[in-house]
Amino acid sequence: MSGISATGTLGTASSQSPAKKPKKRQAPDSVLGTLMKIVLLGIVDAIAVYVLIQLASKHEWLIFGISLAVTLLINWIYLRRGGLPAKYLAPGFFFLLIFQVFVMLYSTYIAFTNYGDGHNSSKEDAITAIQLAAQERVPNSPQYASTVLEKSGTLYLLVTEPDGKAKLGTTGEVLQEVTPSTKSSTGQATGVDGYRTLVFTDLLQNQQAVTAIKAPISDNPADGSLATSDGTTAYVFAPKLKYDAAADTFTDTTTGTVYSDNGKGAFASAEGQQLSTGWKIDVGFANFQRAFTDPNLSGPLWQVTLWTFAFAFLSVLTTFALGLFLAIAFNRADLRGKRIYRVLMILPYAFPAFLSGLVWSGLLNPEFGFINNALLGGADIPWLTDPWLAKFSVLLVNLWLGYPYMFLVCTGALQSLPEEVDEAARMDGASAWRIFRAIKLPLLLVSVAPLLISSFAFNFNNFNVIYMLTGGGPRFDGTTYDIGATDILITMVYKVAFGGTGRDYGLASALAIIIFIIVAVISTISFNKTKALEEIN
């Protein structure tokens, strides 16, 4: 009976679920931690509210919704109990989204638009800008006694109308009626509280800024604006281009030329003449097509692409060869003072690349550079103005900047190699060259090959040395773009985006995507090929 009872009791016990461990209660936050949380969240929420108000005022509802959702998510993460990993990961995750993912997606979007000089806003803004820019004085318009005022660095126009009313305005701000603080003997308003009245000497010193003031008469640009040439008398200026909202056209009141929407983000006449101000539109793959079909761009693009590959490959090859040679030379156990030598070898690596580029640009100057005048006895060698010598100079300077990195990498790799293999090869009668070529180099490449690939990708986009040394020159002939013989793709993109011939962000973004695809493909293929080296290990 006792056995049966014991069995039954045991069976009953085994059928019951195991006792659950009590959950650990999270310790309450300290007073200091709570205060820091409140302050930081308050700052984040204050900034978010300001941003949301600005987005709502500009009717950017998509970005408004995303910003609101992110703000609520941040508050939920840090106000709830638990979820400690999310509290640590959230800042890095959000910064990754903002500074990496968003930038990439926005650049990709810009590549499919005509965004750039003259095409950087909406059509409504372009219409307003055209009306404001194409203004001329209205014949027989009334004169307004005026005074120029200044506040916080901005110049304002204070005018007195024939009926005695005083109005104040500036460029972009409509004239508003104000109460003058001072008046002249003729009743002209000469001052307003909070503003400084410019005297005659001030007007002379700021003549261009004074004549540039265009104070709109009303919210409708067609009503014109008031402007002054001497700071004492203002006249009515009205746009000579009259906009017809029904027909969506501009008409030049002096010539009768009609400008209509050409479907390319601009108003153009029947003869193809465009107005300077346009608007941003989607253009599909037009920027990518233009990169390879525009005569001003396609020819230089191919030359720049070939030189970019050559520059990246030769830079990796020369810096690796010199760095490996010096690493082997200074890796001898019996070498005295090798620590001092190693420090001297890495000195170029300690200087900023952009500063070194400027220094070398002065050293290689053909007219007064140290190399021509001091080392070569006054020779006139065009290091930076001849296309081939400029390319050689770029490679030479990049070798000086890049070999210390390879020296450090190769030194560390050599010291990690097993000495037993080296000694066994010597006992078998192998020469030093045979040992290096058949044993050391393959073993080195196992660890160094990924770094060589990353170095190739870095030199493929090595902006500093090119821009600071040669500026991409000497410039190519037969193109309107500021593109030269030593330009690589990244400096070419910079010049297209911010060059003196006009800013074309859409085309620059398209070229940047092309660069990204090239580097990604090369890196993928190279990393796949380096897997074969793992068998050596």
Side-chain angles (χ1 to χ4, degrees), residues 107 303 373 384 422:
S107 298
Q303 296 182 62
N373 290 336
L384 305 178
D422 197 2

Side-chain angles (χ1 to χ4, degrees), residues 30 33 44 46 70 84 99 107 183 194 224 258 273 281 284 290 306 341 354 402 419 431 433 492 504-505 532:
S30 63
V44 171
V70 170
L84 189 62
F99 294 108
S107 298
K183 291 185 179 182
V258 177
Q273 182 182 1
I281 62 171
R290 180 181 164 197
L306 291 176
Y341 296 142
F354 70 91
E419 297 182 358
S431 63
W433 169 248
M492 179 179 176
D504 195 337
Y505 303 124

Side-chain angles (χ1 to χ4, degrees), residues 224-463:
S225 57
L226 293 183
T228 180
S229 59
D230 56 6
T232 60
T233 306
Y235 300 92
V236 179
F237 285 74
K240 68 175 183 178
L241 292 172
K242 184 177 180 182
Y243 179 66
D244 185 350
D248 193 20
T249 59
F250 274 101
T251 302
D252 192 325
T253 56
T254 57
T255 63
T257 305
V258 177
Y259 298 87
S260 58
D261 187 348
N262 62 358
K264 298 179 181 179
F267 287 99
S269 64
E271 293 76 18
Q273 182 182 1
Q274 290 188 7
L275 298 180
S276 58
T277 304
W279 58 94
K280 185 174 67 175
I281 62 171
D282 296 332
V283 296
F285 289 91
N287 287 322
F288 296 91
Q289 181 181 359
R290 180 181 164 197
F292 297 101
T293 58
D294 186 353
N296 286 319
L297 190 62
S298 59
L301 176 61
W302 288 115
Q303 296 182 62
V304 169
T305 302
L306 291 176
W307 163 240
T308 303
F309 277 99
F311 169 74
F313 177 77
L314 292 174
S315 293
V316 174
L317 179 63
T318 54
T319 55
F320 176 67
L322 181 58
L324 179 59
F325 171 77
L326 294 175
I328 294 175
F330 292 116
N331 196 46
R332 295 177 58 90
D334 56 348
L335 181 64
R336 301 177 63 180
K338 61 181 178 180
R339 292 185 178 180
I340 299 176
Y341 296 142
R342 286 175 176 174
V343 171
L344 294 175
M345 286 296 103
I346 64 174
L347 279 180
Y349 196 49
F351 292 99
F354 70 91
L355 182 60
S356 299
L358 291 176
V359 172
W360 274 97
S361 178
L363 294 175
L364 293 170
N365 188 280
E367 297 180 2
F368 52 82
F370 178 81
I371 293 179
N372 276 358
N373 290 336
L375 299 183
L376 301 179
D380 186 17
I381 301 177
W383 295 106
L384 305 178
T385 55
D386 179 79
W388 290 105
L389 283 177
K391 291 179 179 179
F392 172 79
S393 301
V394 168
L395 290 172
L396 176 64
V397 173
N398 203 40
L399 172 63
W400 186 81
L401 290 170
Y403 84 85
Y405 170 74
M406 292 299 180
F407 169 74
L408 293 174
V409 168
C410 293
T411 298
L414 285 172
Q415 292 177 350
S416 65
L417 295 181
E419 297 182 358
E420 295 80 5
V421 178
D422 197 2
E423 294 176 358
R426 287 198 188 96
M427 294 181 63
D428 290 341
S431 63
W433 169 248
R434 177 70 176 177
I435 293 174
F436 169 76
R437 183 177 61 86
I439 299 176
K440 286 187 177 181
L441 184 59
L443 291 175
L444 277 173
L445 289 177
V446 173
S447 57
V448 174
L451 298 177
L452 295 180
I453 296 171
S454 63
S455 179
F456 178 88
F458 170 79
N459 284 288
F460 203 88
N461 293 305
N462 195 344
F463 178 87

Side-chain angles (χ1 to χ4, degrees), residues 55-66:
L55 292 173
S57 64
K58 296 181 179 179
H59 305 288
E60 298 287 349
W61 300 116
L62 176 60
I63 303 179
F64 176 90
I66 296 174

Side-chain angles (χ1 to χ4, degrees), residues 135 156-157 159 168-175 212-218 224-227 235 237:
Q135 291 194 354
Y156 292 81
L157 195 62
V159 297
L168 181 69
T170 186
T171 304
E173 294 184 14
V174 177
L175 288 165
I213 301 174
K214 297 289 189 297
I217 295 176
S218 69
S225 57
L226 293 183
Y235 300 92
F237 285 74

